[in-house]
Every structure is written in C-alpha cells, then in structure tokens.
Amino acid sequence: MLHILYDLENNLLQLERELHAETYRPGGYTSFYITDPKRRKISAAPFRDRVVHHALMNVIGDIYERQFIHDSYANQIGKGTHRALDRCTHFLRRYEYVLKADVAQFFPSVDHAVLRTILARPLRDERVLRLIDLILASGAGILASEYTPHWHVEDFEAGQGNLFAPLRPRGLPIGNLTSQFWANVLLNELDQYVKRELRCKAYIRYVDDFLLFHDDKRQLHEWKAAISDYLDRLRLTLHPRKSVVFPARLGVDFLGFHNFRTYRRLRKGNARRFMRKLRQLAVAYSAGELPLEKVNQSVQSWVAHASHGDTWRLRQQMFGQVRLAAPP
C-alpha cells in the first residue's frame, strides 16, 4: 500500500493504462485466520487490486442492485444488520412459525461457472466480463482448505451428468469487496425464487443467513425442501443442522441477537468476546500502548451495536467490572 501511495497519481495512471490495455493482472492474496466468533480464513488482496475492485463496483454495482429485493440487507447503502433485525422483529410479531436457514460453507462453495453465468446476464461489455474473469480466477482455490467436496443431483443425471463438476474452480475470498457483492448477486437468485415461485411474503436474507415466516409450519417444511432443491441447482447446499422450523414465540438467533416479539437480547458469546476485548483495551491503555481515543472508539462502536437490543443492564454490569488506570 505504501508503494502505491508514495507516488499515487502516477501509480493510478499506470493502473488505468493497464486496465485499458487489458494487461492488468491481480496480485497474490495475503491470508490469515480469525477465530472470533468462529474460525474463518480471511484473504486480503494487494492495495492496487482493491482499487480495481472498488472501481469495478462503481461501474456495475447499480446494474445488479436494481434487481435486488427489498428484504436483502447485506452490503448495501441504507441497509445493514440493524434494519434486518427490525424487520425480523416485525415478522416475528405477525407470524406463528419461522424457518431459520443458511448455506453450508457458502463462500468456499461458490462455483465460478455458475456465478459467471449469472454475472454475465445483464452485461454486454466483453472487456468488463474479462476483468470479472480475472478477479474470479485470482480467488480460485484460496478457500480450498475450507471446502468439503460435494456432489449435486445434476452430476449424476443421464446424458448431462458431470462427475468432475465438484473439481471446478470455486470460492470467493472473504475480504474482497467483490466477493461480498457477488454473494448478493448469486443469492439474489434464491431471493427471487422465494418471492416469485414460493410466494413467501415474509422473508429476510443477510448474506447466506435467511429467515422465512408463515402461520403454517407444514408450509415452511415444504419450502425448506424446495429451497434445498433450488440451492442444489446453484451448486450450493442448505446447512442440514442449522436449517430448522420452530415457533416464532421462542424467538430466533439472528445477526448476533436473540430476537423475541417484544424484546431483543445480545447473544452471550458476543458479550463474552467484548468483555475479553475490553479488558485487553484497559491493559493496553494502562501500559501506555493505546491512546484513550482509540479505546473510546472501540467501546462506542460496540455500544452502538449492543444498544439495538435490551442491553442497558448488561452494559452497566460490564463497564462496572473494568476500570481504566491512567498510564505512567
């Protein structure tokens, strides 16, 4: 990053020339693991590649966003987790049952051929499509260690089967702007199926986590089976353990909160993680390793999130256990 910023104007002009001449090639990723709240492999593209990703999204983003449904909430301006949570509460109050589901190993599972076909539908510029191909190819295999090969029904169909399909390039690096957006483009196919074909009136999706609501639990079980079949066509798999139907009165775990009809609780794991972080911040501040401004920023960010639940007593208790000692 420092290299490109050192001579920013010339480096950007060089990048522009490469894009026009189609000589641009993505660099390698730097990967690392996070384990909070669960183990994930994060892959960061070089800074110049991230500039290209943002430029590409500025050009094509609106083309796809116009197709998105109202209740798709991830990675869009004016949406986000808190609006999704409010919508969840709205539906919990109106319906008797909920189907909570997600896609197993979503980012590692994304089949490049399937995604490329979907991305190409509204685009006519072959140069843009070739750039998309470059970015897709740069992420192939990055998440191979996180993916369990899975065969789908069509792999065994007479005359059309392809037993080598699970070996095709797949995976979207978690960390790319393009990956987050293309996840929405791919799962917009599911959104449209749920709304147009299944005609579900109460549906919410945030990345690969989604909820369906109805007053008849048998209908939800039927929809679950239909969604499983439809995802199979996208070469994705409904998570067998995490996809369940239950009464709405029990509340639903969604986006870090346990959501009920009249209140919302922060999940215990979230509170434990922040408490551990708060103690680390206090130690770093007391040792003179972290300015008070940085501590305050981190605390205020978490409070802004936690305040979307009924957490006043919890916050009072947590902050009462940690004291900031001035550095020497």
Side-chain angles (χ1 to χ4, degrees), residues 185-249:
V185 175
L186 177 58
L187 289 179
N188 179 58
E189 301 292 304
L190 172 64
D191 299 342
Q192 300 297 335
Y193 175 73
V194 170
K195 300 299 288 186
R196 295 174 183 270
E197 300 296 326
L198 300 184
R199 298 189 177 277
C200 176
K201 295 180 180 179
Y203 168 76
I204 304 168
R205 181 179 62 79
Y206 191 92
V207 193
D208 62 316
D209 292 321
F210 54 96
L211 306 172
L212 289 80
F213 301 82
H214 201 275
D215 287 329
D216 185 347
K217 64 180 178 181
R218 289 175 298 180
Q219 178 67 83
L220 289 174
H221 281 291
E222 290 176 9
W223 283 347
K224 176 183 173 182
I227 288 170
S228 180
D229 290 342
Y230 185 78
L231 286 174
D232 196 80
R233 290 157 55 185
L234 296 176
R235 304 198 64 77
L236 299 171
T237 305
L238 193 65
H239 199 295
R241 180 173 54 84
K242 295 182 179 179
S243 302
V244 292
V245 175
F246 51 89
R249 60 180 170 78

Side-chain angles (χ1 to χ4, degrees), residues 57 62 85 99 102 123 127 168 186 245 269:
M57 290 300 99
D62 287 347
L85 288 167
L99 164 60
D102 73 11
L123 297 180
R127 287 155 56 94
R168 293 198 307 228
L186 177 58
V245 175

